[in-house]
Amino acid sequence: MKHLHLWQLERTFTVSDSSILVQGFLAPSIRCHLFSGHMHNYTVPLSLSWLSIDAYHMSGPDNTFVSRVVQGFYNAHLFPKLASNQSAMLVPGSFSSDYNPSCNHSCYDEMCALDATNFYSWAKNDSRVVGMAPWHWGDCSGCDSFKDEIGTARTVKTKAMWAHIGHEIKGNDVVLPDVLFN
């Protein structure tokens, strides 16, 4: 039985490819604080296959966020720690909110659709990136009611962009939905 070890700076998962069983546990001693500027001196265990971070913004569309903040962090702090047999996962924010005073539902939809495009462009052009796992599809009842409580399933442009990206990855010819250009 082969195992895939995935280490995220918040949680660690072991995925068995024969049973598709996922077990998660908190690993606070290896947590890193991206936006506060505090970095733990961590090493990446050689047994890990993939590594990711969560880095989201909630203040509206910013075409430089992915490259400046997230990719900048990966380049400075994550990629230098990876061995040649290890890869990175990307975890784009893909959510919305009815409670954030600085970015309403429509604003989030624009922001997350733009971010999806920028994360996908990065993933396509960087051999160190093995995949993407957008956060999150369904509503998050345990999330704070001011930043990410609404899932991608209840967005319009973001959901359409992820569908387009999925079709492109799978190689299906797809016409972009008009909603992406309104």
Side-chain angles (χ1 to χ4, degrees):
M1 176 186 309
K2 293 170 69 177
H3 290 275
L4 167 72
H5 299 282
L6 168 63
W7 184 59
Q8 186 180 22
L9 293 180
E10 292 180 288
R11 298 182 175 272
T12 304
F13 300 93
T14 300
V15 181
S16 166
D17 65 356
S18 63
S19 65
I20 313 176
L21 174 68
V22 177
Q23 298 174 337
F25 59 91
L26 287 174
S29 63
I30 55 174
R31 183 174 252 169
C32 133
H33 301 280
L34 173 62
F35 294 110
S36 67
H38 176 71
M39 289 294 305
H40 290 282
N41 184 15
Y42 66 92
T43 58
V44 178
L46 292 175
S47 63
L48 298 176
S49 303
W50 302 343
L51 184 71
S52 70
I53 66 160
D54 293 8
Y56 310 125
H57 62 130
M58 283 89 172
S59 57
D62 176 351
N63 199 40
T64 68
F65 173 77
V66 173
S67 61
R68 179 178 46 83
V69 176
V70 186
Q71 191 172 9
F73 179 88
Y74 274 67
N75 287 335
H77 302 288
L78 193 143
F79 289 140
K81 305 273 188 183
L82 298 182
S84 62
N85 65 319
Q86 296 173 316
S87 299
M89 284 285 292
L90 305 180
V91 185
S94 189
F95 45 74
S96 186
S97 176
D98 284 330
Y99 301 102
N100 184 345
S102 64
C103 192
N104 65 19
H105 185 72
S106 175
C107 170
Y108 268 89
D109 203 12
E110 293 284 339
M111 176 180 71
C112 290
L114 175 63
D115 287 355
T117 301
N118 291 337
F119 272 102
Y120 180 53
S121 177
W122 171 19
K124 284 193 307 187
N125 294 299
D126 193 330
S127 63
R128 300 167 295 184
V129 174
V130 71
M132 296 184 297
W135 169 258
H136 53 87
W137 176 256
D139 290 353
C140 182
S141 60
C143 294
D144 295 332
S145 293
F146 68 90
K147 58 182 182 177
D148 65 349
E149 76 281 353
I150 298 172
T152 304
R154 287 204 293 142
T155 63
V156 177
K157 292 183 178 186
T158 303
K159 182 170 60 173
M161 183 54 71
W162 282 117
H164 168 70
I165 290 168
H167 286 287
E168 186 174 312
I169 290 169
K170 290 171 51 176
N172 299 340
D173 290 330
V174 64
V175 176
L176 284 173
D178 289 338
V179 71
L180 292 176
F181 304 105
N182 293 336

